[in-house]
Structure formats: C-alpha cells, structure tokens
Amino acid sequence: MRREELPTPCYLVSLPDLEKNLRLLKGIMDRTGCRILLAQKAFSMYSLYPLIGSYLSGTAASGLFEARLGAKEMGKENHIYSPAYKEEEFEEILSYCGHIVFNSFAQIEKYGKRVLDAGKSMGIRINPQCSMQEGHAVYDPCAPGSRLGVTRERFRPELLEGVEGIHFHTLCEQDADDLKTTLDAVEEKFGEYLYRMKWVNFGGGHHITRPGYNIGLLEECIRHIREKYRVTVYLEPGEAVALNAGVLLTKVLDTFSQDGGIAILDASAACHMPDVLEMPYRPPLAGSREAGEYPYTYRLAGPTCLAGDVIGTYSFDHPLSVGERLEFGDMAIYTMVKNNTFNGMCLPAIAVEREHGECEVVKAFGYEDFKMRL
Ligand SMILES: *Cc1c(COP(=O)(O)O)cnc(C)c1O
C-alpha cells in the first residue's frame, strides 16, 4: 500500500533511510577495524534485525529481555551492560551474551567467576568524570552522584584478574570532538589499565549519522586507541543507527480557536513520543514552520486527558482541516521502545516503507495490548 493508505497513528520506518545510516556505519567499521553494535534501547524493531545485522557486528543490551531479543533475532555478537544483575536472571543472560559488562567491582566479585567459567568476556564500566553536557543531567552519566560506571577513586586494580574490557558511555547526541575530550580523560585516568585489555567500548551517544558529524575525527580516535593499546574498539550507538529513518503519521481529529489555534491529533506526546515531554524537545513536522512564520498557527496536542499532552506550536500555509494527515520527523528512535497505553490510548501501528514508496504494516495494536498489562 501507499503511505496515504496506512492507518494512523503509525510509525513508518524508511528502509532506504535506515540503510543509508547502516552503510555509513559499515564504512567506519571497514576503514578502522572497529566493531559497531546496535544499542537496542533506542530501536528494537526486530523485524529489521536481519537487515541491520547484515551491516553491523551485533547488538548491545541493557537487561535480560533485550539480551534475549538480540540473541534470538540478530544472533551475532551480543553485549550486555546493566547497573546491576539479578541472581535469578544471570544464567540466562550468560547463555545469550558473549560480553558482560559490570558496573561495580562488587558485581564482578559476585558473578565474575561464572562469566569466566562460561568462557565469556568480562568488562567493567568506568566513569571518566568528564561531563560533556551542560544542563542535561538526566542524560549525563558523569553528573555528580551518577550510579553509572566506576570512578578512578573507586577503581580496584587488584580485582582486574580476568577483566578483558573497559566500557564507558558518557555522550548523548554528540560530535567527535566531545568523544576526543572524553578519551583524553579516559586515558589520563585509566590509561595504565587499558594496556591489559582486549577491548574498549566507547558506548553510544555518537551522533554519527547526523549531517556534518566529524567522521574523520571519530576514525582518528578509534585508530589511536586501537593502535596504542592493541585493543578491539567497539561502539554501540542507538540513535545513530535509525536517526531520521522514520516518521510518525497522524491525523487531525478536530480544530478550534481558544487562546490561539488548537488542533487535536490522534497521536499523543505522552503516549507515542514520550521524549517530546521528557527531554523535552519540539519534533520536526513536514510542511510546517515556527509559530507565526506562516499565517495559520496551531498548538498541536494529543487526544489524552493530560493537559500537558502538547507536542508543540507550529504554523502552516493553510488552515488545518479535520482528517488531514501530518508527519512528525525522526520518530523511529526512542519511540516504539518507550511508548505506553496511558489513558487507554492505542499504540501506533508499525510499518516499513521500501524503495519507490511501497509500504507494509508490520504490526498493528488493539484493545488486548492495553488490557493485557493491567
Ligand atoms: C543509551 C545507551 C546507548 C545508546 O545511546 P544512543 O544515545 O542512543 O546512541 C549505548 N550504550 C549504553 C550503555 C547506553 O546506556
């Protein structure tokens, strides 16, 4: 079917746009010898894992269910990091993952021997205490009081026996210059231990597929660490894999004027694009401009009872009409993995668009998906 025929709301992932990102990431792997994993936290649309796996080295998981999904649906390298593992889940995690990253030396003392006995590779997450995000503490694992990663003060070299990897993840939507600054801090604080390692994982948060990203500098950083310490370098981007590779299709349900124009959509910020409220940010919308730039300005809002379920204020060159379709951009990542059925909202369908605009619904949701969890 065509895009116009898809049900709304619907996440529509463009395969050509996804493959464009994947080709770019594969080029970095080919040129530098690094390995790139999909961080499933951002994008877990497993029907596309065979495609993603044909470019990337595997998956990164944050817990048992993602580990299982990566193992079953991609079946390539599967790494896991979790702030703490549960005893009753650990054996199963070991069966799915080749690389297990711990968040403390106490967790290594508890589980390390089992990792080695299973013939798996063990790593420790460090906190280089190098904050690269001003004012965004919620996305800053180096913020004071962070639970993510071991600082130099808490590092226990006497417990490194059997540890083969160092993992850090401190960036969020950042360019390679911030990676370079971070690597300088990692080397300064932990450099002496890197020589003993087999791999170093640079985490995610690299906005590699954003236009203008400094790929040359990223590749320099990878080569530098790889050659100096003789390690395999891993990157585990989530966002960059499916950046700008999907839209959220929605329809106007009603319009009226009340302290300015209002349009109610069948997509909800609170349920279907939670980062709009959490981050917060104003998502791009095709054919629109900033408030007041075009003659017709509307607050676009969701159909829930939450007063704050507002996506943003946008202007159009025509008055919006009931039934009209709108397309919010960059909606593949951190959406279908985070959405919810608050207020009994139906989850958006998930669809793919192939070359020449041919579309197909992969999954549709209904009442049972709401009821099942309650
Ligand atoms: C969130 C996360 C990622 C992916 O981050 P992006 O910003 O989506 O690239 C990778 N690794 C870890 C440990 C994470 O927590």
Side-chain angles (χ1 to χ4, degrees):
M1 62 175 80
R2 310 300 298 176
R3 184 181 277 227
E4 309 76 59
E5 298 169 281
L6 289 168
T8 59
C10 178
Y11 302 114
L12 176 62
V13 173
S14 156
L15 296 191
D17 290 342
L18 181 64
E19 283 204 73
K20 195 172 125 203
N21 290 344
L22 291 168
R23 272 196 300 276
L24 195 149
L25 296 171
K26 177 76 162 58
I28 294 167
M29 293 180 18
D30 291 344
R31 288 188 297 274
T32 65
C34 79
R35 295 174 156 260
I36 300 184
L37 310 168
L38 164 70
Q40 297 175 89
K41 185 181 76 187
F43 187 68
S44 304
M45 189 173 162
Y46 63 88
S47 58
L48 301 179
Y49 280 14
L51 173 73
I52 296 171
S54 71
Y55 290 91
L56 304 187
S57 300
T59 38
S62 324
L64 173 62
F65 291 171
E66 284 183 358
R68 179 169 164 183
L69 194 72
K72 302 279 184 202
E73 304 296 333
M74 195 176 302
K76 298 188 73 179
E77 277 196 50
N78 200 18
H79 296 221
I80 187 168
Y81 157 78
S82 178
Y85 294 97
K86 278 174 93 165
E87 178 60 50
E88 58 271 36
E89 293 180 351
F90 200 73
E91 282 310 306
E92 197 182 346
I93 284 172
L94 269 184
S95 75
Y96 298 135
C97 298
H99 293 68
I100 319 275
V101 179
F102 292 101
N103 190 53
S104 74
F105 282 96
Q107 288 261 300
I108 286 186
E109 287 185 292
K110 182 164 159 62
Y111 295 111
K113 181 162 183 316
R114 283 154 74 177
V115 175
L116 299 180
D117 288 348
K120 306 298 175 93
S121 188
M122 167 159 71
I124 180 88
R125 177 167 173 173
I126 56 162
N127 173 356
Q129 293 173 290
C130 175
S131 280
M132 299 307 301
Q133 297 150 65
E134 293 113 52
H136 255 117
V138 73
Y139 294 111
D140 183 5
C142 296
S146 170
R147 72 190 181 292
L148 305 169
V150 181
T151 57
R152 183 65 185 83
E153 294 67 53
R154 287 178 51 234
F155 202 70
R156 296 182 56 191
E158 74 277 13
L159 295 177
L160 280 179
E161 180 79 35
V163 174
E164 297 184 338
I166 293 277
H167 178 291
F168 67 87
H169 169 74
T170 63
L171 304 179
C172 180
E173 299 190 337
Q174 273 155 305
D175 209 319
D177 52 345
D178 288 334
L179 172 64
K180 171 93 177 60
T181 307
T182 301
L183 279 174
D184 289 345
V186 167
E187 288 197 76
E188 188 199 314
K189 293 197 165 77
F190 299 94
E192 60 186 298
Y193 308 113
L194 295 183
Y195 291 105
R196 304 198 211 166
M197 298 296 148
K198 287 192 176 157
W199 49 269
V200 175
N201 188 325
F202 291 3
H206 317 282
H207 230 191
I208 302 169
T209 49
R210 174 180 70 197
Y213 180 92
N214 190 343
I215 293 172
L217 181 56
L218 170 68
E219 294 186 358
E220 269 177 45
C221 288
I222 295 168
R223 283 196 195 92
H224 166 71
I225 295 295
R226 198 183 143 178
E227 285 160 18
K228 180 165 173 189
Y229 302 101
R230 311 226 153 261
V231 289
T232 300
V233 170
Y234 286 97
L235 306 183
E236 47 182 30
E239 179 147 355
V241 174
L243 186 68
N244 290 318
V247 295
L248 174 59
L249 306 177
T250 175
K251 207 161 54 187
V252 177
L253 300 180
D254 196 12
T255 65
F256 49 86
S257 182
Q258 188 152 279
D259 304 328
I262 292 178
I264 298 178
L265 311 182
D266 66 358
S268 155
C271 300
H272 306 148
M273 35 187 138
D275 274 359
V276 164
L277 301 185
E278 239 179 73
M279 212 153 168
Y281 80 105
R282 178 180 176 277
L285 175 62
S288 77
R289 288 195 181 165
E290 296 288 333
E293 284 187 27
Y294 275 139
Y296 304 94
T297 293
Y298 297 86
R299 290 183 92 199
L300 301 183
T304 69
C305 294
L306 175 72
D309 190 357
V310 174
I311 299 150
T313 306
Y314 299 80
S315 70
F316 301 84
D317 62 4
H318 62 279
L320 292 182
S321 52
V322 171
E324 183 169 347
R325 284 169 166 252
L326 300 176
E327 285 184 23
F328 289 100
D330 197 22
M331 284 288 163
I333 49 173
Y334 291 105
T335 50
M336 55 188 102
V337 291
K338 280 186 101 167
N339 61 15
N340 63 77
T341 59
F342 167 63
N343 230 187
M345 286 298 115
C346 190
L347 297 171
I350 297 174
V352 292
E353 184 172 51
R354 299 178 199 285
E355 252 176 295
H356 314 300
E358 186 55 34
C359 295
E360 187 189 329
V361 175
V362 175
K363 209 165 248 190
F365 302 91
Y367 173 65
E368 285 305 324
D369 300 290
F370 161 62
K371 186 184 172 201
M372 177 182 77
R373 301 194 304 168
L374 301 168

Coordinates of all heavy atoms in Angstrom, one line a residue, residues 39 41-42 62 81 125 167 169 171-173 203-206 236-240 334, ligand 1:
A39 N 22.6 -0.5 19.8 CA 22.1 -0.4 21.2 C 20.6 -0.5 21.1 O 19.9 0.5 20.6 CB 22.5 1.0 21.8
K41 N 18.2 -0.3 23.1 CA 17.4 0.6 23.9 C 16.8 1.7 23.0 O 15.6 2.1 23.3 CB 18.4 1.3 24.9 CG 17.8 2.2 25.9 CD 18.8 2.8 26.8 CE 19.6 3.9 26.1 NZ 20.7 4.4 26.8
A42 N 17.4 2.1 22.0 CA 16.9 3.2 21.1 C 15.9 2.6 20.1 O 15.0 3.3 19.7 CB 18.0 3.9 20.5
S62 N 20.7 -3.9 27.6 CA 20.7 -3.3 28.9 C 20.1 -4.2 30.0 O 20.0 -3.9 31.2 CB 20.0 -2.0 29.0 OG 20.2 -1.3 27.8
Y81 N 25.3 -4.6 29.2 CA 25.7 -3.8 30.4 C 24.5 -3.6 31.2 O 23.4 -3.3 30.7 CB 26.3 -2.5 30.0 CG 26.2 -1.5 31.1 CD1 27.1 -1.5 32.2 CD2 25.2 -0.6 31.2 CE1 26.9 -0.7 33.3 CE2 25.0 0.3 32.3 CZ 25.9 0.2 33.3 OH 25.7 1.1 34.4
R125 N 32.5 -1.1 33.5 CA 32.2 0.3 33.0 C 32.8 1.3 34.0 O 32.7 1.2 35.2 CB 30.6 0.5 33.0 CG 30.3 1.9 32.6 CD 28.8 2.0 32.3 NE 28.4 3.4 32.0 CZ 27.2 3.8 31.6 NH1 26.3 2.9 31.3 NH2 26.9 5.1 31.4
H167 N 34.6 -0.3 29.5 CA 33.4 0.3 28.8 C 33.1 1.7 29.4 O 33.2 1.9 30.6 CB 32.2 -0.6 29.1 CG 30.9 -0.1 28.5 ND1 30.2 1.0 28.9 CD2 30.1 -0.7 27.5 CE1 29.1 1.1 28.2 NE2 29.0 0.1 27.3
H169 N 30.3 5.1 28.7 CA 29.2 5.7 27.9 C 28.9 7.0 28.6 O 28.3 7.0 29.6 CB 28.0 4.7 27.9 CG 26.8 5.3 27.3 ND1 26.6 5.6 26.0 CD2 25.7 5.8 28.0 CE1 25.4 6.2 25.8 NE2 24.8 6.3 27.0
L171 N 28.3 10.1 26.4 CA 27.8 11.1 25.5 C 26.3 10.9 25.1 O 25.7 9.9 25.4 CB 28.6 11.0 24.2 CG 30.2 11.0 24.3 CD1 30.8 10.9 22.9 CD2 30.6 12.4 24.9
C172 N 25.8 12.0 24.6 CA 24.4 12.0 24.2 C 24.2 12.9 23.0 O 24.4 14.1 23.2 CB 23.5 12.4 25.3 SG 21.7 12.4 24.9
E173 N 24.0 12.4 21.8 CA 23.8 13.2 20.6 C 25.0 14.1 20.4 O 24.9 15.3 20.0 CB 22.5 14.1 20.7 CG 21.3 13.3 20.8 CD 20.0 14.1 20.7 OE1 20.0 15.3 20.9 OE2 19.0 13.5 20.4
G203 N 30.8 3.1 24.1 CA 29.4 3.3 24.4 C 28.6 3.9 23.2 O 29.0 3.7 22.0
G204 N 27.5 4.6 23.5 CA 26.7 5.3 22.5 C 26.8 6.8 22.6 O 27.7 7.3 23.2
G205 N 25.7 7.4 22.1 CA 25.7 8.9 22.1 C 26.5 9.6 21.0 O 26.6 10.8 21.0
H206 N 27.0 8.8 20.1 CA 27.8 9.4 18.9 C 26.7 9.7 17.8 O 26.1 8.7 17.3 CB 28.8 8.4 18.4 CG 29.6 7.7 19.5 ND1 30.6 8.3 20.2 CD2 29.4 6.5 20.1 CE1 31.1 7.5 21.1 NE2 30.4 6.4 21.1
E236 N 28.6 1.4 20.4 CA 27.3 0.9 20.5 C 26.3 2.0 20.4 O 25.6 2.3 21.4 CB 27.1 0.0 21.7 CG 27.6 0.6 23.0 CD 27.4 -0.2 24.2 OE1 27.4 -1.5 24.1 OE2 27.2 0.3 25.3
P237 N 26.2 2.7 19.2 CA 25.2 3.7 19.1 C 23.8 3.1 19.0 O 23.6 2.0 18.5 CB 25.6 4.4 17.7 CG 26.2 3.3 17.0 CD 26.9 2.4 18.0
G238 N 22.8 3.9 19.5 CA 21.4 3.5 19.3 C 20.8 4.5 18.3 O 20.5 4.2 17.1
E239 N 20.7 5.7 18.8 CA 20.2 6.8 18.0 C 20.7 6.9 16.6 O 20.0 7.0 15.6 CB 20.4 8.1 18.7 CG 19.9 9.3 18.1 CD 19.5 10.4 19.0 OE1 19.4 10.2 20.2 OE2 19.1 11.5 18.5
A240 N 22.1 6.8 16.4 CA 22.7 7.0 15.1 C 22.3 5.9 14.1 O 22.3 6.2 12.9 CB 24.2 7.0 15.2
Y334 N 13.8 5.8 20.1 CA 13.2 6.2 21.4 C 11.7 6.4 21.3 O 11.2 7.3 22.1 CB 14.0 7.3 22.0 CG 15.4 7.0 22.4 CD1 16.5 7.4 21.6 CD2 15.7 6.1 23.5 CE1 17.8 7.0 22.0 CE2 16.9 5.8 23.8 CZ 18.0 6.2 23.1 OH 19.3 5.8 23.4
Ligands
LIG1 C1 21.7 4.6 25.8 C2 22.9 3.8 25.7 C3 23.5 3.6 24.4 C4 22.9 4.2 23.2 O1 22.9 5.6 23.2 P1 22.5 6.5 22.0 O2 22.4 7.9 22.6 O3 21.1 6.0 21.6 O4 23.5 6.3 20.9 C5 24.6 2.8 24.3 N1 25.2 2.2 25.4 C6 24.7 2.4 26.7 C7 25.3 1.7 27.8 C8 23.5 3.1 26.8 O5 23.0 3.3 28.1

